[in-house]
Amino acid sequence: MKNKEKIKRISMAVLSFCFMVTIAGYINYKYNPEREKDLGQTVYVNSNNDEVGIYKEANSVFNNNDERITRFRNDRDNMYSELANNYSQIINNSNTNSETVAEYQEKLSSLIEEKNQILMVENVIKSKGVDEIVIVVTNKEKANVIIKTQELTESLAAQIMQTIVDQLNIKANDITIENINV
């Protein structure tokens, strides 16, 4: 009788240990900051560093600057549309419980509000003399701004940054502005 109880206790201890190791491994994988260390990184567009090639590659893909701005705007709008569609599918799924429906209705409402806020900020910045503008917000923490204007003066750049800081609550250090010359 004692051996059976001892074997049960040892078995439970081994199973518990295996379960804890599995959970620790999953958490380590899921929340490993090294795995996503470059996600959302700001690229300094005016940098002379040859290691930064994202915008150089993008420049070679597009035939002209108008096409480039249109492409960035379309990509951003497609991202919002896909997210809204995914949220709507979850909301409209008959198998989704009421708590999840409420959560995703809130997410959808927030997404629509965020998109409208960005469009409003773009219009405000256009009124300051910018021909075209696209703002892409990443993780609600950073903003990449692509503008088309005759000349990007320090004053105009400061006005653009201040508008984004005030309206989108993004820190000035987390905003990059790239001017596509006319």
Side-chain angles (χ1 to χ4, degrees):
M1 210 66 170
K2 281 188 174 183
N3 281 341
K4 285 186 178 182
E5 286 181 32
K6 196 173 188 179
I7 291 173
K8 278 185 180 180
R9 286 184 184 171
I10 291 172
S11 296
M12 288 303 286
V14 169
L15 283 172
S16 296
F17 178 76
C18 290
F19 180 73
M20 289 188 313
V21 168
T22 303
I23 295 297
Y26 173 76
I27 291 172
N28 188 38
Y29 172 77
K30 183 74 175 167
Y31 300 105
N32 183 355
E34 287 298 312
R35 189 168 57 100
E36 298 176 356
K37 68 181 179 181
D38 294 327
L39 187 63
Q41 287 292 318
T42 301
V43 176
Y44 294 101
V45 178
N46 295 329
S47 173
N48 291 328
N49 186 350
D50 288 335
E51 294 176 24
V52 179
I54 295 171
Y55 287 105
K56 291 177 187 172
E57 291 172 18
N59 280 333
S60 66
V61 171
F62 301 106
N63 295 332
N64 61 46
N65 292 332
D66 291 332
E67 182 181 333
R68 186 168 177 213
I69 286 180
T70 301
R71 176 65 179 223
F72 279 109
R73 181 176 290 117
N74 288 340
D75 287 349
R76 182 202 57 201
D77 292 345
N78 287 339
M79 177 199 66
Y80 278 110
S81 293
E82 285 180 29
L83 278 171
N85 187 32
N86 290 343
Y87 293 166
S88 295
Q89 285 179 353
I90 292 170
I91 291 166
N92 296 326
N93 187 335
S94 61
N95 295 328
T96 305
N97 65 39
S98 60
E99 292 172 1
T100 304
V101 167
E103 176 186 346
Y104 277 87
Q105 283 175 334
E106 187 175 316
K107 284 183 178 186
L108 181 59
S109 177
S110 177
L111 181 72
I112 292 168
E113 184 179 315
E114 178 182 321
K115 183 179 179 185
N116 289 338
Q117 185 73 18
I118 289 170
L119 293 175
M120 189 252 341
V121 170
E122 287 178 351
N123 287 332
V124 168
I125 292 172
K126 279 183 183 178
S127 73
K128 297 179 186 299
V130 172
D131 298 327
E132 289 291 332
I133 182 169
V134 178
I135 300 173
V136 180
V137 176
T138 59
N139 298 333
K140 297 184 181 181
E141 296 174 0
K142 298 179 188 258
N144 297 309
V145 182
I146 301 166
I147 64 169
K148 178 179 158 187
T149 187
Q150 290 289 334
E151 181 181 4
L152 179 60
T153 63
E154 285 185 31
S155 173
L156 180 58
Q159 289 176 19
I160 291 169
M161 285 187 134
Q162 190 61 49
T163 302
I164 293 171
V165 167
D166 291 345
Q167 299 298 321
L168 299 178
N169 298 320
I170 296 174
K171 296 177 186 171
N173 291 345
D174 294 329
I175 300 170
T176 58
I177 300 173
E178 178 185 2
N179 183 26
I180 297 175
N181 296 328
V182 177

